[in-house]
């Protein structure tokens, strides 16, 4: 783990906003990596990361939309999560790329077995992000809210921890 910044610095006015510190953290991270790619879901944690990176030049924002296709061709998506992600992006002026991953009953079973889903503590959201993260690695540096952009707090001192490349993603996150 690499601690890239600590805040608030000594003698910081108490009225500085969380948005200010999120952006400060994102700038520190962006100085360490090339072409950040922020993976956004409908959740508040990834929205905080996206908001932090909103004004970092060259940042891409990706929403992964798993599609489950039945044998008869009927498709199912998580409409609520897509709605929240798109609404957040629109409200914050973020250009959101939507990447569709299509699964059938058989391909979904094979995919989950390949990722050892049944025997790890890795959540479904993270599991479905992995193939896209692995494909995008050559285009930039993947940033997720799940274990890659962590905030800790001791009193008034907050630390931001950003994991280095390859710690867990290549093995399916342990």
């Amino acid at each position: 783990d690499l601690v890239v910044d600590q805040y608030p610095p000594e003698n910081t006015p108490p009225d500085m906003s969380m948005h200010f510190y999120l952006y400060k953290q994102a700038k520190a991270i962006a100085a360490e990596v090339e072409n950040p790619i922020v993976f956004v879901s409908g959740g508040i944690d990834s929205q905080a990361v996206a908001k932090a990176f909103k004004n970092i030049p060259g940042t891409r924002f990706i929403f992964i939309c798993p599609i489950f296709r039945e044998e008869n061709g009927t498709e199912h998506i998580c409409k609520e999560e897509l709605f929240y992600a798109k609404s957040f992006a629109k409200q914050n002026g973020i250009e959101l790329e939507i990447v569709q991953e299509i699964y059938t009953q058989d391909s979904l079973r094979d995919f989950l077995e390949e990722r050892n889903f049944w025997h790890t503590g890795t959540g479904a959201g993270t599991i479905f992000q992995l193939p896209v993260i692995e494909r995008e690695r050559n285009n930039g540096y993947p940033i997720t809210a799940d274990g890659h952009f962590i905030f800790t707090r001791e009193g008034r001192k907050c630390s931001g921890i950003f994991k280095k490349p390859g710690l867990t993603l290549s093995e399916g996150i342990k």
Side-chain angles (χ1 to χ4, degrees), residues 66-77 79 101-109:
I67 298 173
F68 305 100
R69 185 176 291 153
E70 295 182 35
E71 287 181 15
N72 66 9
T74 303
E75 293 183 345
H76 305 275
I77 66 168
K79 293 177 187 173
E101 292 289 297
I102 299 172
Y103 298 94
T104 64
Q105 182 175 341
D106 291 338
S107 71
L108 178 60
R109 181 192 61 243

Side-chain angles (χ1 to χ4, degrees), residues 62-115:
I62 294 179
F63 174 82
I64 300 167
C65 183
I67 298 173
F68 305 100
R69 185 176 291 153
E70 295 182 35
E71 287 181 15
N72 66 9
T74 303
E75 293 183 345
H76 305 275
I77 66 168
C78 185
K79 293 177 187 173
E80 292 81 6
E81 189 168 3
L82 178 59
F83 170 78
Y84 289 129
K86 287 171 78 173
S87 297
F88 166 80
K90 182 177 179 181
Q91 181 180 4
N92 289 280
I94 292 172
E95 186 179 329
L96 188 63
E97 298 174 41
I98 298 173
V99 176
Q100 297 180 344
E101 292 289 297
I102 299 172
Y103 298 94
T104 64
Q105 182 175 341
D106 291 338
S107 71
L108 178 60
R109 181 192 61 243
D110 295 344
F111 171 75
L112 294 175
E113 286 177 1
E114 174 186 309
R115 297 290 176 169

